[in-house]
Amino acid sequence: MTNEFNTLKLVQLGIDTQKEFVVFMRRDCHICKSEGFEAHNRVLVTVKEKSIIATLYIITDGILKVGKAGLSNSAWIQLNAVEGDKISFAHVQPVASMGCVRSKMYGQELNKIAFQNIINDIVKGEYSNIEIASFITACAGDNLNIQEIIALTEAMVDSGQKLNWINKIVVDKHCVGGLPGNRTTPIIVAIVAEAGLTIPKTSSRAITSPAGTADTLETMTSVNLDIQTIKKVVEKENGCFVWGGSIKLSPADDILIRIERALDIDGEGQMIASVLSKKSAAGSTHVVIDIPIGKTAKVRTEEDAEKLKYYFTVVGKALSLEVKVLLTDGSQPIGRGIGPALEAMDVLSVLRNEKEAPQDLRNKSLLIAGSIIDLANNQKNGNGYLSAERILSSGRAYEKFMAICKAQGGFKEPVLGPFKTDIHAEKSGIVVEIDNRRLAKIAKLAGAPHDPKAGVLLHTPLKTRITKGDILFCIYAETKGELNYAIEYLKKEQDIILIQ
Amino acid sequence: MTNEFNTLKLVQLGIDTQKEFVVFMRRDCHICKSEGFEAHNRVLVTVKEKSIIATLYIITDGILKVGKAGLSNSAWIQLNAVEGDKISFAHVQPVASMGCVRSKMYGQELNKIAFQNIINDIVKGEYSNIEIASFITACAGDNLNIQEIIALTEAMVDSGQKLNWINKIVVDKHCVGGLPGNRTTPIIVAIVAEAGLTIPKTSSRAITSPAGTADTLETMTSVNLDIQTIKKVVEKENGCFVWGGSIKLSPADDILIRIERALDIDGEGQMIASVLSKKSAAGSTHVVIDIPIGKTAKVRTEEDAEKLKYYFTVVGKALSLEVKVLLTDGSQPIGRGIGPALEAMDVLSVLRNEKEAPQDLRNKSLLIAGSIIDLANNQKNGNGYLSAERILSSGRAYEKFMAICKAQGGFKEPVLGPFKTDIHAEKSGIVVEIDNRRLAKIAKLAGAPHDPKAGVLLHTPLKTRITKGDILFCIYAETKGELNYAIEYLKKEQDIILIQ
């Protein structure tokens, strides 16, 4: 029921607020006044019979003319808005399922229906960010029992699409709290697929790091596949490497994870639900979970890791997933390149069995691939590692990798940016410390991951003996300006590679 | 340490995001790229050596030119920003006191220092809205024990300024969950001050209603006083009526309450801390709390009210506050006017002992004023009500009211808007239901509380016998356009006053 009286006309403002829907109105707008709207209110907005709930921000200056309203980019897309469209407004009732969140605050156990209602409302965009934060907090700590974690996981699986496979056994892997440059996935997929197992792998892009697995793979093949293409690739080659964002598995997870990250909360229950819901929706049956333990890793003690291991196993079983948990060394980064193309080169170097290939990356890939093979064969300590080693050394993993790339649209050799500078040692000695955080920052200043050819190549791992003037690392960039940003930053910084 | 490399120049965008600090940057800005900033990140921004933590929104369209950044109005004011100022950016570490919030999620008891750290960080603006939502959720339900409620209340008192008074006894009142038109405060202050008690009353403005107590009082006198003026007024006349926003008592409360309202969470612990921290900071010693019980009031059952009563009393005692709790009838609105000037007229009508004065408003004011007098005299069932009645009936309350107004800068008679329309009954019968929500909406469409002369005057309370053509209510407005908004809305609505 819209009429001139309670509508405004839309103008495009181009404001990115991530997944949160935001509507912008003028302070002196008659609708704001009559409805008593104020900044941060939740408002039901309707454009051409499509409605969403959005958070209201008030414009007090000249950005909006009288009679106009704006939307955040996500809301604009969601409503298929066109410049000049009429937009109408109404108050919203509080979301009904927030009642369940309130019950949880009072310590009540939630059942499956409660979690389904909450998750469905979150996926529909009916929760504001602060309501999501409230839900996450109410479920954090030890507040979810194992039945509730199972119910939450199932609700998250049900909220999106699910993949089905002909093969009875479908394998997958996941690493809890990734280390820099830890690009085992392409190698593992190639080995495991060559071993005859089905592994339809989805990966994420970088959010704050210089490269995600999907960014790395994209320098060699296309990762943006729809479900039909994924099916074809996997039917032909047993495996694939795809950007998870191109298909909608467990969409609630993407929304929750963003707020969890902002809150720096990583409740066990939600982490397990997050990981296993993606795996279950992807149609996996056997999953290896890698938990690196280390002081800069996500899991810091063996005790915490054992508890997580227990939860992963029990919740996995409830979802008909066979889960095997590996506790690994998380004290050092893995590989030498930082940035999509450079990390891809590390991967190819291992697959091609080159002499200078980073051995840490090779060993870890074999360990996980071997575990997957054993798990699928229902063997506790089988010969999975040996099989994996044989497949990799023989070059068959490399051939499989190339075949998958071909099926996904073709392989291309990763290329580095044309602008390069070498950073030399100012004294002699031994490398005793490497500041990965600042190396990552240099890679980002040089353009990674947006410019996939940009990044940092580390020449001197820990314990390398250095002579003054040796190259410590190289910086690559796609433009001279970006290379300069990185160099300018570097001028102010010291001891990124500490030599003693 | 700012230089051209990591600074942008500020432009004013005029975006009101309430208390939340927001910074706007372009998607293609080199700082966003190098720092890996994305929408919703928390960013430390610095302008002229003043820093705040702000939430980042990304501009993808033409609002910002290359090299420019914008701020929300609250951040602009906080940083004393001027168009063209340089602004620099840095990543922020997670707020340390969020660690305490996480402990609370795990069910640990927080001590006074923990609450002080959290509340101080919130007041400094270091918590994002989602972090505040997380804190509120972690403390909601039964999650705070009485020691924690006391510690939270004390931390909130300590976070702002405190008022001191010469008199040993300083009284105050508070209503939990106000009813429409419930303007007892001006009447109570006049009676109690005339009775010789010190009552430095602060009140709030409307947020979503057509009038707050401060808005109502502002149609008769100025309410925007600084602490020195308040002191002078109270020394001279024993009482005052001031807008609480003009002084900073318990500033944390203003921030928390906004998020609680948005979440529709009203945890007992926080509600008690909210009310009593304001009273303690105002220097009160004796406080009467009015808890209306009714199906549309905040407190719905006698049982809930009794529990609240217990908490108010015990926490009050820990803060050296004598608290008396009244449980009152919350089933009907009180008074006839809706809108600042109209509600002021109700107040004056009672103070002037006019025959047509709303008796419900008169009675409730006497009840509370009497309780305050008894409480201050340490009497359980004293003659406070009789004293109050005598002071009001004799005209002495009116004289005191005028004297306080004079001390605050002078009294003026409230004036109604020049545009008026009468709404007539379309049939005969008896008024069986009044939709206060829609009446309030009409008052807001007509301009209240922004235009204090606008509003709705109800002629026919419940059970009035009506003849077709009788006036049901009048609408007042300051402009013809606003009157038309209200009338246009009314055309589509039916049975706002239900006659049978």
Side-chain angles (χ1 to χ4, degrees), chain B residues 342-373:
Chain B
L342 285 158
E343 296 182 28
M345 287 171 170
D346 277 353
V347 166
L348 288 172
S349 176
V350 169
L351 285 169
R352 286 165 177 161
N353 295 298
E354 289 169 359
K355 214 183 69 196
E356 65 272 27
Q359 292 306 302
D360 52 355
L361 181 61
R362 184 178 199 272
N363 291 339
K364 182 139 190 200
S365 304
L366 287 174
L367 177 76
I368 298 172
S371 286
I372 294 172
I373 295 169

PDB file of all heavy atoms in Angstrom, chain B residues 342-373:
ATOM      1  N   LEU B 342       0.372  20.665  24.786  1.00  0.00           N
ATOM      2  CA  LEU B 342      -0.893  20.131  25.308  1.00  0.00           C
ATOM      3  C   LEU B 342      -0.677  19.434  26.646  1.00  0.00           C
ATOM      4  O   LEU B 342      -1.514  19.537  27.559  1.00  0.00           O
ATOM      5  CB  LEU B 342      -1.512  19.174  24.289  1.00  0.00           C
ATOM      6  CG  LEU B 342      -2.157  19.876  23.086  1.00  0.00           C
ATOM      7  CD1 LEU B 342      -2.251  18.942  21.891  1.00  0.00           C
ATOM      8  CD2 LEU B 342      -3.551  20.395  23.458  1.00  0.00           C
ATOM      9  N   GLU B 343       0.426  18.730  26.779  1.00  0.00           N
ATOM     10  CA  GLU B 343       0.702  18.067  28.055  1.00  0.00           C
ATOM     11  C   GLU B 343       1.049  19.101  29.124  1.00  0.00           C
ATOM     12  O   GLU B 343       0.689  18.948  30.299  1.00  0.00           O
ATOM     13  CB  GLU B 343       1.817  17.025  27.877  1.00  0.00           C
ATOM     14  CG  GLU B 343       1.363  15.907  26.942  1.00  0.00           C
ATOM     15  CD  GLU B 343       2.371  14.788  26.727  1.00  0.00           C
ATOM     16  OE1 GLU B 343       3.188  14.535  27.629  1.00  0.00           O
ATOM     17  OE2 GLU B 343       2.323  14.146  25.661  1.00  0.00           O
ATOM     18  N   ALA B 344       1.723  20.179  28.712  1.00  0.00           N
ATOM     19  CA  ALA B 344       2.015  21.268  29.651  1.00  0.00           C
ATOM     20  C   ALA B 344       0.709  21.883  30.164  1.00  0.00           C
ATOM     21  O   ALA B 344       0.582  22.228  31.345  1.00  0.00           O
ATOM     22  CB  ALA B 344       2.871  22.327  28.969  1.00  0.00           C
ATOM     23  N   MET B 345      -0.265  21.997  29.273  1.00  0.00           N
ATOM     24  CA  MET B 345      -1.557  22.553  29.683  1.00  0.00           C
ATOM     25  C   MET B 345      -2.252  21.661  30.711  1.00  0.00           C
ATOM     26  O   MET B 345      -2.868  22.157  31.650  1.00  0.00           O
ATOM     27  CB  MET B 345      -2.438  22.763  28.457  1.00  0.00           C
ATOM     28  CG  MET B 345      -1.955  23.953  27.636  1.00  0.00           C
ATOM     29  SD  MET B 345      -2.815  24.035  26.061  1.00  0.00           S
ATOM     30  CE  MET B 345      -2.259  25.646  25.491  1.00  0.00           C
ATOM     31  N   ASP B 346      -2.148  20.348  30.534  1.00  0.00           N
ATOM     32  CA  ASP B 346      -2.675  19.417  31.549  1.00  0.00           C
ATOM     33  C   ASP B 346      -2.005  19.691  32.901  1.00  0.00           C
ATOM     34  O   ASP B 346      -2.676  19.755  33.944  1.00  0.00           O
ATOM     35  CB  ASP B 346      -2.386  17.963  31.144  1.00  0.00           C
ATOM     36  CG  ASP B 346      -3.417  17.394  30.172  1.00  0.00           C
ATOM     37  OD1 ASP B 346      -4.432  18.075  29.921  1.00  0.00           O
ATOM     38  OD2 ASP B 346      -3.203  16.268  29.672  1.00  0.00           O
ATOM     39  N   VAL B 347      -0.686  19.836  32.850  1.00  0.00           N
ATOM     40  CA  VAL B 347       0.076  20.066  34.082  1.00  0.00           C
ATOM     41  C   VAL B 347      -0.385  21.359  34.763  1.00  0.00           C
ATOM     42  O   VAL B 347      -0.679  21.379  35.965  1.00  0.00           O
ATOM     43  CB  VAL B 347       1.592  20.135  33.768  1.00  0.00           C
ATOM     44  CG1 VAL B 347       2.373  20.717  34.944  1.00  0.00           C
ATOM     45  CG2 VAL B 347       2.116  18.748  33.398  1.00  0.00           C
ATOM     46  N   LEU B 348      -0.480  22.432  33.976  1.00  0.00           N
ATOM     47  CA  LEU B 348      -0.876  23.732  34.540  1.00  0.00           C
ATOM     48  C   LEU B 348      -2.297  23.670  35.086  1.00  0.00           C
ATOM     49  O   LEU B 348      -2.605  24.249  36.136  1.00  0.00           O
ATOM     50  CB  LEU B 348      -0.767  24.822  33.473  1.00  0.00           C
ATOM     51  CG  LEU B 348       0.678  25.217  33.101  1.00  0.00           C
ATOM     52  CD1 LEU B 348       0.678  26.154  31.906  1.00  0.00           C
ATOM     53  CD2 LEU B 348       1.378  25.874  34.297  1.00  0.00           C
ATOM     54  N   SER B 349      -3.140  22.966  34.384  1.00  0.00           N
ATOM     55  CA  SER B 349      -4.542  22.839  34.802  1.00  0.00           C
ATOM     56  C   SER B 349      -4.629  22.186  36.186  1.00  0.00           C
ATOM     57  O   SER B 349      -5.396  22.619  37.051  1.00  0.00           O
ATOM     58  CB  SER B 349      -5.261  22.012  33.738  1.00  0.00           C
ATOM     59  OG  SER B 349      -6.570  21.776  34.098  1.00  0.00           O
ATOM     60  N   VAL B 350      -3.785  21.169  36.409  1.00  0.00           N
ATOM     61  CA  VAL B 350      -3.770  20.523  37.731  1.00  0.00           C
ATOM     62  C   VAL B 350      -3.196  21.484  38.776  1.00  0.00           C
ATOM     63  O   VAL B 350      -3.767  21.671  39.858  1.00  0.00           O
ATOM     64  CB  VAL B 350      -2.941  19.212  37.695  1.00  0.00           C
ATOM     65  CG1 VAL B 350      -2.680  18.677  39.101  1.00  0.00           C
ATOM     66  CG2 VAL B 350      -3.639  18.153  36.850  1.00  0.00           C
ATOM     67  N   LEU B 351      -2.089  22.118  38.430  1.00  0.00           N
ATOM     68  CA  LEU B 351      -1.440  23.032  39.391  1.00  0.00           C
ATOM     69  C   LEU B 351      -2.361  24.196  39.750  1.00  0.00           C
ATOM     70  O   LEU B 351      -2.335  24.711  40.870  1.00  0.00           O
ATOM     71  CB  LEU B 351      -0.123  23.565  38.809  1.00  0.00           C
ATOM     72  CG  LEU B 351       1.053  22.584  38.788  1.00  0.00           C
ATOM     73  CD1 LEU B 351       2.203  23.134  37.944  1.00  0.00           C
ATOM     74  CD2 LEU B 351       1.544  22.284  40.215  1.00  0.00           C
ATOM     75  N   ARG B 352      -3.179  24.619  38.780  1.00  0.00           N
ATOM     76  CA  ARG B 352      -4.091  25.754  39.006  1.00  0.00           C
ATOM     77  C   ARG B 352      -5.432  25.337  39.607  1.00  0.00           C
ATOM     78  O   ARG B 352      -6.344  26.149  39.724  1.00  0.00           O
ATOM     79  CB  ARG B 352      -4.323  26.483  37.682  1.00  0.00           C
ATOM     80  CG  ARG B 352      -3.141  27.302  37.227  1.00  0.00           C
ATOM     81  CD  ARG B 352      -3.254  27.714  35.775  1.00  0.00           C
ATOM     82  NE  ARG B 352      -2.132  28.556  35.375  1.00  0.00           N
ATOM     83  CZ  ARG B 352      -1.762  28.771  34.104  1.00  0.00           C
ATOM     84  NH1 ARG B 352      -2.438  28.214  33.117  1.00  0.00           N
ATOM     85  NH2 ARG B 352      -0.731  29.547  33.841  1.00  0.00           N
ATOM     86  N   ASN B 353      -5.514  24.038  39.902  1.00  0.00           N
ATOM     87  CA  ASN B 353      -6.756  23.515  40.498  1.00  0.00           C
ATOM     88  C   ASN B 353      -7.996  23.843  39.681  1.00  0.00           C
ATOM     89  O   ASN B 353      -9.052  24.140  40.219  1.00  0.00           O
ATOM     90  CB  ASN B 353      -6.924  24.055  41.933  1.00  0.00           C
ATOM     91  CG  ASN B 353      -5.834  23.531  42.845  1.00  0.00           C
ATOM     92  OD1 ASN B 353      -5.719  22.322  43.062  1.00  0.00           O
ATOM     93  ND2 ASN B 353      -4.990  24.431  43.354  1.00  0.00           N
ATOM     94  N   GLU B 354      -7.853  23.773  38.364  1.00  0.00           N
ATOM     95  CA  GLU B 354      -9.020  24.022  37.511  1.00  0.00           C
ATOM     96  C   GLU B 354      -9.964  22.835  37.591  1.00  0.00           C
ATOM     97  O   GLU B 354      -9.543  21.699  37.790  1.00  0.00           O
ATOM     98  CB  GLU B 354      -8.552  24.269  36.067  1.00  0.00           C
ATOM     99  CG  GLU B 354      -7.858  25.619  35.919  1.00  0.00           C
ATOM    100  CD  GLU B 354      -7.161  25.789  34.575  1.00  0.00           C
ATOM    101  OE1 GLU B 354      -7.206  24.846  33.752  1.00  0.00           O
ATOM    102  OE2 GLU B 354      -6.541  26.854  34.377  1.00  0.00           O
ATOM    103  N   LYS B 355     -11.251  23.148  37.408  1.00  0.00           N
ATOM    104  CA  LYS B 355     -12.285  22.128  37.577  1.00  0.00           C
ATOM    105  C   LYS B 355     -12.106  20.999  36.558  1.00  0.00           C
ATOM    106  O   LYS B 355     -12.272  19.830  36.864  1.00  0.00           O
ATOM    107  CB  LYS B 355     -13.673  22.766  37.412  1.00  0.00           C
ATOM    108  CG  LYS B 355     -14.743  22.156  38.295  1.00  0.00           C
ATOM    109  CD  LYS B 355     -16.079  22.794  38.024  1.00  0.00           C
ATOM    110  CE  LYS B 355     -16.604  22.425  36.640  1.00  0.00           C
ATOM    111  NZ  LYS B 355     -17.685  23.295  36.178  1.00  0.00           N
ATOM    112  N   GLU B 356     -11.753  21.387  35.321  1.00  0.00           N
ATOM    113  CA  GLU B 356     -11.638  20.377  34.260  1.00  0.00           C
ATOM    114  C   GLU B 356     -10.265  19.703  34.215  1.00  0.00           C
ATOM    115  O   GLU B 356      -9.966  18.964  33.276  1.00  0.00           O
ATOM    116  CB  GLU B 356     -11.984  20.999  32.900  1.00  0.00           C
ATOM    117  CG  GLU B 356     -11.030  22.066  32.432  1.00  0.00           C
ATOM    118  CD  GLU B 356     -11.403  23.453  32.945  1.00  0.00           C
ATOM    119  OE1 GLU B 356     -12.050  23.577  34.023  1.00  0.00           O
ATOM    120  OE2 GLU B 356     -11.017  24.427  32.301  1.00  0.00           O
ATOM    121  N   ALA B 357      -9.422  19.955  35.203  1.00  0.00           N
ATOM    122  CA  ALA B 357      -8.093  19.314  35.225  1.00  0.00           C
ATOM    123  C   ALA B 357      -8.245  17.789  35.246  1.00  0.00           C
ATOM    124  O   ALA B 357      -9.142  17.259  35.907  1.00  0.00           O
ATOM    125  CB  ALA B 357      -7.320  19.776  36.458  1.00  0.00           C
ATOM    126  N   PRO B 358      -7.356  17.088  34.505  1.00  0.00           N
ATOM    127  CA  PRO B 358      -7.463  15.619  34.498  1.00  0.00           C
ATOM    128  C   PRO B 358      -7.188  15.038  35.900  1.00  0.00           C
ATOM    129  O   PRO B 358      -6.087  15.196  36.430  1.00  0.00           O
ATOM    130  CB  PRO B 358      -6.413  15.165  33.485  1.00  0.00           C
ATOM    131  CG  PRO B 358      -5.624  16.370  33.102  1.00  0.00           C
ATOM    132  CD  PRO B 358      -6.307  17.591  33.598  1.00  0.00           C
ATOM    133  N   GLN B 359      -8.188  14.382  36.463  1.00  0.00           N
ATOM    134  CA  GLN B 359      -8.094  13.908  37.843  1.00  0.00           C
ATOM    135  C   GLN B 359      -7.098  12.751  37.997  1.00  0.00           C
ATOM    136  O   GLN B 359      -6.478  12.591  39.046  1.00  0.00           O
ATOM    137  CB  GLN B 359      -9.478  13.496  38.361  1.00  0.00           C
ATOM    138  CG  GLN B 359     -10.431  14.673  38.540  1.00  0.00           C
ATOM    139  CD  GLN B 359      -9.849  15.779  39.433  1.00  0.00           C
ATOM    140  OE1 GLN B 359      -9.496  15.549  40.581  1.00  0.00           O
ATOM    141  NE2 GLN B 359      -9.721  16.986  38.872  1.00  0.00           N
ATOM    142  N   ASP B 360      -6.972  11.947  36.919  1.00  0.00           N
ATOM    143  CA  ASP B 360      -6.009  10.829  37.012  1.00  0.00           C
ATOM    144  C   ASP B 360      -4.586  11.358  37.186  1.00  0.00           C
ATOM    145  O   ASP B 360      -3.807  10.840  37.985  1.00  0.00           O
ATOM    146  CB  ASP B 360      -6.114   9.902  35.784  1.00  0.00           C
ATOM    147  CG  ASP B 360      -6.034  10.652  34.445  1.00  0.00           C
ATOM    148  OD1 ASP B 360      -5.987  11.902  34.452  1.00  0.00           O
ATOM    149  OD2 ASP B 360      -6.029   9.983  33.392  1.00  0.00           O
ATOM    150  N   LEU B 361      -4.268  12.433  36.456  1.00  0.00           N
ATOM    151  CA  LEU B 361      -2.939  13.033  36.562  1.00  0.00           C
ATOM    152  C   LEU B 361      -2.737  13.628  37.958  1.00  0.00           C
ATOM    153  O   LEU B 361      -1.672  13.479  38.573  1.00  0.00           O
ATOM    154  CB  LEU B 361      -2.783  14.113  35.484  1.00  0.00           C
ATOM    155  CG  LEU B 361      -1.442  14.849  35.430  1.00  0.00           C
ATOM    156  CD1 LEU B 361      -0.294  13.886  35.157  1.00  0.00           C
ATOM    157  CD2 LEU B 361      -1.461  15.938  34.346  1.00  0.00           C
ATOM    158  N   ARG B 362      -3.772  14.306  38.442  1.00  0.00           N
ATOM    159  CA  ARG B 362      -3.722  14.913  39.787  1.00  0.00           C
ATOM    160  C   ARG B 362      -3.487  13.835  40.856  1.00  0.00           C
ATOM    161  O   ARG B 362      -2.586  13.947  41.693  1.00  0.00           O
ATOM    162  CB  ARG B 362      -5.041  15.648  40.042  1.00  0.00           C
ATOM    163  CG  ARG B 362      -5.092  16.396  41.355  1.00  0.00           C
ATOM    164  CD  ARG B 362      -6.417  17.134  41.521  1.00  0.00           C
ATOM    165  NE  ARG B 362      -6.313  18.185  42.524  1.00  0.00           N
ATOM    166  CZ  ARG B 362      -6.518  17.993  43.825  1.00  0.00           C
ATOM    167  NH1 ARG B 362      -6.841  16.788  44.265  1.00  0.00           N
ATOM    168  NH2 ARG B 362      -6.380  18.993  44.685  1.00  0.00           N
ATOM    169  N   ASN B 363      -4.270  12.780  40.800  1.00  0.00           N
ATOM    170  CA  ASN B 363      -4.196  11.746  41.839  1.00  0.00           C
ATOM    171  C   ASN B 363      -2.842  11.052  41.859  1.00  0.00           C
ATOM    172  O   ASN B 363      -2.262  10.834  42.921  1.00  0.00           O
ATOM    173  CB  ASN B 363      -5.302  10.706  41.635  1.00  0.00           C
ATOM    174  CG  ASN B 363      -6.655  11.305  41.912  1.00  0.00           C
ATOM    175  OD1 ASN B 363      -6.760  12.326  42.615  1.00  0.00           O
ATOM    176  ND2 ASN B 363      -7.709  10.707  41.351  1.00  0.00           N
ATOM    177  N   LYS B 364      -2.351  10.725  40.658  1.00  0.00           N
ATOM    178  CA  LYS B 364      -1.085  10.007  40.614  1.00  0.00           C
ATOM    179  C   LYS B 364       0.063  10.899  41.106  1.00  0.00           C
ATOM    180  O   LYS B 364       0.961  10.435  41.814  1.00  0.00           O
ATOM    181  CB  LYS B 364      -0.802   9.531  39.183  1.00  0.00           C
ATOM    182  CG  LYS B 364       0.468   8.736  39.101  1.00  0.00           C
ATOM    183  CD  LYS B 364       0.372   7.539  38.217  1.00  0.00           C
ATOM    184  CE  LYS B 364       1.619   6.687  38.396  1.00  0.00           C
ATOM    185  NZ  LYS B 364       1.838   5.777  37.285  1.00  0.00           N
ATOM    186  N   SER B 365       0.018  12.175  40.754  1.00  0.00           N
ATOM    187  CA  SER B 365       1.046  13.107  41.209  1.00  0.00           C
ATOM    188  C   SER B 365       1.042  13.201  42.732  1.00  0.00           C
ATOM    189  O   SER B 365       2.110  13.211  43.373  1.00  0.00           O
ATOM    190  CB  SER B 365       0.807  14.493  40.608  1.00  0.00           C
ATOM    191  OG  SER B 365       0.761  14.427  39.212  1.00  0.00           O
ATOM    192  N   LEU B 366      -0.147  13.268  43.313  1.00  0.00           N
ATOM    193  CA  LEU B 366      -0.260  13.368  44.778  1.00  0.00           C
ATOM    194  C   LEU B 366       0.273  12.103  45.448  1.00  0.00           C
ATOM    195  O   LEU B 366       0.960  12.156  46.466  1.00  0.00           O
ATOM    196  CB  LEU B 366      -1.719  13.600  45.181  1.00  0.00           C
ATOM    197  CG  LEU B 366      -2.259  15.009  44.896  1.00  0.00           C
ATOM    198  CD1 LEU B 366      -3.755  15.077  45.193  1.00  0.00           C
ATOM    199  CD2 LEU B 366      -1.503  16.052  45.734  1.00  0.00           C
ATOM    200  N   LEU B 367      -0.051  10.954  44.852  1.00  0.00           N
ATOM    201  CA  LEU B 367       0.381   9.674  45.412  1.00  0.00           C
ATOM    202  C   LEU B 367       1.910   9.609  45.499  1.00  0.00           C
ATOM    203  O   LEU B 367       2.482   9.272  46.546  1.00  0.00           O
ATOM    204  CB  LEU B 367      -0.136   8.537  44.527  1.00  0.00           C
ATOM    205  CG  LEU B 367       0.273   7.129  44.928  1.00  0.00           C
ATOM    206  CD1 LEU B 367      -0.552   6.674  46.135  1.00  0.00           C
ATOM    207  CD2 LEU B 367       0.107   6.148  43.773  1.00  0.00           C
ATOM    208  N   ILE B 368       2.557   9.982  44.406  1.00  0.00           N
ATOM    209  CA  ILE B 368       4.017   9.890  44.374  1.00  0.00           C
ATOM    210  C   ILE B 368       4.646  10.975  45.247  1.00  0.00           C
ATOM    211  O   ILE B 368       5.571  10.710  46.024  1.00  0.00           O
ATOM    212  CB  ILE B 368       4.542   9.948  42.924  1.00  0.00           C
ATOM    213  CG1 ILE B 368       4.005   8.753  42.135  1.00  0.00           C
ATOM    214  CG2 ILE B 368       6.072   9.955  42.893  1.00  0.00           C
ATOM    215  CD1 ILE B 368       4.282   8.800  40.653  1.00  0.00           C
ATOM    216  N   ALA B 369       4.129  12.199  45.143  1.00  0.00           N
ATOM    217  CA  ALA B 369       4.662  13.287  45.976  1.00  0.00           C
ATOM    218  C   ALA B 369       4.537  12.926  47.455  1.00  0.00           C
ATOM    219  O   ALA B 369       5.476  13.121  48.246  1.00  0.00           O
ATOM    220  CB  ALA B 369       3.925  14.590  45.667  1.00  0.00           C
ATOM    221  N   GLY B 370       3.387  12.381  47.828  1.00  0.00           N
ATOM    222  CA  GLY B 370       3.176  11.968  49.217  1.00  0.00           C
ATOM    223  C   GLY B 370       4.178  10.916  49.649  1.00  0.00           C
ATOM    224  O   GLY B 370       4.736  10.974  50.761  1.00  0.00           O
ATOM    225  N   SER B 371       4.436   9.949  48.777  1.00  0.00           N
ATOM    226  CA  SER B 371       5.402   8.892  49.099  1.00  0.00           C
ATOM    227  C   SER B 371       6.791   9.470  49.301  1.00  0.00           C
ATOM    228  O   SER B 371       7.540   9.023  50.177  1.00  0.00           O
ATOM    229  CB  SER B 371       5.473   7.887  47.959  1.00  0.00           C
ATOM    230  OG  SER B 371       4.324   7.096  47.953  1.00  0.00           O
ATOM    231  N   ILE B 372       7.145  10.435  48.474  1.00  0.00           N
ATOM    232  CA  ILE B 372       8.474  11.052  48.601  1.00  0.00           C
ATOM    233  C   ILE B 372       8.585  11.745  49.959  1.00  0.00           C
ATOM    234  O   ILE B 372       9.596  11.603  50.668  1.00  0.00           O
ATOM    235  CB  ILE B 372       8.727  12.046  47.444  1.00  0.00           C
ATOM    236  CG1 ILE B 372       8.801  11.299  46.109  1.00  0.00           C
ATOM    237  CG2 ILE B 372      10.007  12.836  47.683  1.00  0.00           C
ATOM    238  CD1 ILE B 372       8.852  12.202  44.880  1.00  0.00           C
ATOM    239  N   ILE B 373       7.536  12.471  50.312  1.00  0.00           N
ATOM    240  CA  ILE B 373       7.559  13.198  51.598  1.00  0.00           C
ATOM    241  C   ILE B 373       7.681  12.203  52.764  1.00  0.00           C
ATOM    242  O   ILE B 373       8.502  12.383  53.665  1.00  0.00           O
ATOM    243  CB  ILE B 373       6.297  14.086  51.732  1.00  0.00           C
ATOM    244  CG1 ILE B 373       6.327  15.196  50.657  1.00  0.00           C
ATOM    245  CG2 ILE B 373       6.204  14.693  53.135  1.00  0.00           C
ATOM    246  CD1 ILE B 373       5.031  15.973  50.515  1.00  0.00           C
TER     247      ILE B 373
END
